mmCIF file of all heavy atoms in Angstrom:
data_model
loop_
_atom_site.group_PDB
_atom_site.id
_atom_site.type_symbol
_atom_site.label_atom_id
_atom_site.label_comp_id
_atom_site.label_asym_id
_atom_site.label_seq_id
_atom_site.Cartn_x
_atom_site.Cartn_y
_atom_site.Cartn_z
ATOM 1 N N ILE E 108 -24.956 29.390 12.582
ATOM 2 C CA ILE E 108 -24.486 28.689 11.246
ATOM 3 C C ILE E 108 -22.971 28.436 11.565
ATOM 4 O O ILE E 108 -22.408 27.409 11.176
ATOM 5 C CB ILE E 108 -24.696 29.617 10.114
ATOM 6 C CG1 ILE E 108 -26.269 29.609 9.838
ATOM 7 C CG2 ILE E 108 -24.070 28.916 9.011
ATOM 8 C CD1 ILE E 108 -26.671 30.502 8.692
ATOM 9 N N ALA E 109 -22.204 29.419 11.949
ATOM 10 C CA ALA E 109 -20.668 29.339 12.183
ATOM 11 C C ALA E 109 -20.409 28.175 13.061
ATOM 12 O O ALA E 109 -19.525 27.284 12.826
ATOM 13 C CB ALA E 109 -20.096 30.521 12.593
ATOM 14 N N ILE E 110 -21.256 28.035 14.292
ATOM 15 C CA ILE E 110 -21.012 27.026 15.179
ATOM 16 C C ILE E 110 -21.301 25.619 14.638
ATOM 17 O O ILE E 110 -20.482 24.640 14.766
ATOM 18 C CB ILE E 110 -21.772 27.248 16.410
ATOM 19 C CG1 ILE E 110 -21.276 28.379 17.187
ATOM 20 C CG2 ILE E 110 -21.772 26.000 17.332
ATOM 21 C CD1 ILE E 110 -22.226 28.947 18.291
ATOM 22 N N VAL E 111 -22.447 25.543 13.926
ATOM 23 C CA VAL E 111 -22.728 24.225 13.203
ATOM 24 C C VAL E 111 -21.714 23.894 12.140
ATOM 25 O O VAL E 111 -21.359 22.790 12.001
ATOM 26 C CB VAL E 111 -24.184 24.296 12.581
ATOM 27 C CG1 VAL E 111 -24.493 23.081 11.879
ATOM 28 C CG2 VAL E 111 -25.245 24.582 13.771
ATOM 29 N N SER E 112 -21.304 24.849 11.393
ATOM 30 C CA SER E 112 -20.260 24.605 10.433
ATOM 31 C C SER E 112 -18.983 24.098 10.985
ATOM 32 O O SER E 112 -18.363 23.161 10.395
ATOM 33 C CB SER E 112 -19.916 25.895 9.608
ATOM 34 O OG SER E 112 -21.090 26.372 8.969
ATOM 35 N N LEU E 113 -18.595 24.569 12.181
ATOM 36 C CA LEU E 113 -17.455 24.112 12.936
ATOM 37 C C LEU E 113 -17.623 22.649 13.263
ATOM 38 O O LEU E 113 -16.669 21.860 13.212
ATOM 39 C CB LEU E 113 -17.182 24.974 14.040
ATOM 40 C CG LEU E 113 -15.833 24.720 14.889
ATOM 41 C CD1 LEU E 113 -14.620 24.727 14.006
ATOM 42 C CD2 LEU E 113 -15.778 25.561 16.037
ATOM 43 N N ALA E 114 -18.751 22.434 13.864
ATOM 44 C CA ALA E 114 -19.042 21.018 14.269
ATOM 45 C C ALA E 114 -18.976 20.061 13.116
ATOM 46 O O ALA E 114 -18.672 18.928 13.179
ATOM 47 C CB ALA E 114 -20.440 20.924 14.784
ATOM 48 N N ALA E 115 -19.362 20.437 11.870
ATOM 49 C CA ALA E 115 -19.430 19.658 10.690
ATOM 50 C C ALA E 115 -17.879 19.268 10.356
ATOM 51 O O ALA E 115 -17.748 18.224 9.618
ATOM 52 C CB ALA E 115 -19.970 20.398 9.559
ATOM 53 N N THR E 116 -16.928 20.039 10.814
ATOM 54 C CA THR E 116 -15.557 19.559 10.511
ATOM 55 C C THR E 116 -15.033 18.696 11.642
ATOM 56 O O THR E 116 -13.910 18.428 11.701
ATOM 57 C CB THR E 116 -14.583 20.762 10.423
ATOM 58 O OG1 THR E 116 -14.595 21.500 11.670
ATOM 59 C CG2 THR E 116 -15.066 21.676 9.270
ATOM 60 N N ALA E 117 -16.020 18.194 12.538
ATOM 61 C CA ALA E 117 -15.580 17.517 13.609
ATOM 62 C C ALA E 117 -16.027 16.032 13.783
ATOM 63 O O ALA E 117 -15.884 15.600 14.809
ATOM 64 C CB ALA E 117 -15.906 18.284 14.976
ATOM 65 N N SER E 118 -16.765 15.512 12.843
ATOM 66 C CA SER E 118 -17.025 14.148 13.058
ATOM 67 C C SER E 118 -17.733 13.240 12.032
ATOM 68 O O SER E 118 -18.763 12.838 12.312
ATOM 69 C CB SER E 118 -17.991 14.054 14.274
ATOM 70 O OG SER E 118 -19.242 13.461 13.863
ATOM 71 N N ALA E 119 -17.143 13.018 11.017
ATOM 72 C CA ALA E 119 -17.669 12.036 10.073
ATOM 73 C C ALA E 119 -17.108 10.645 10.341
ATOM 74 O O ALA E 119 -17.413 9.756 9.585
ATOM 75 C CB ALA E 119 -17.526 12.463 8.592
#
Side-chain angles (χ1 to χ4, degrees):
I108 293 175
I110 291 171
V111 175
S112 297
L113 179 61
T116 63
S118 118

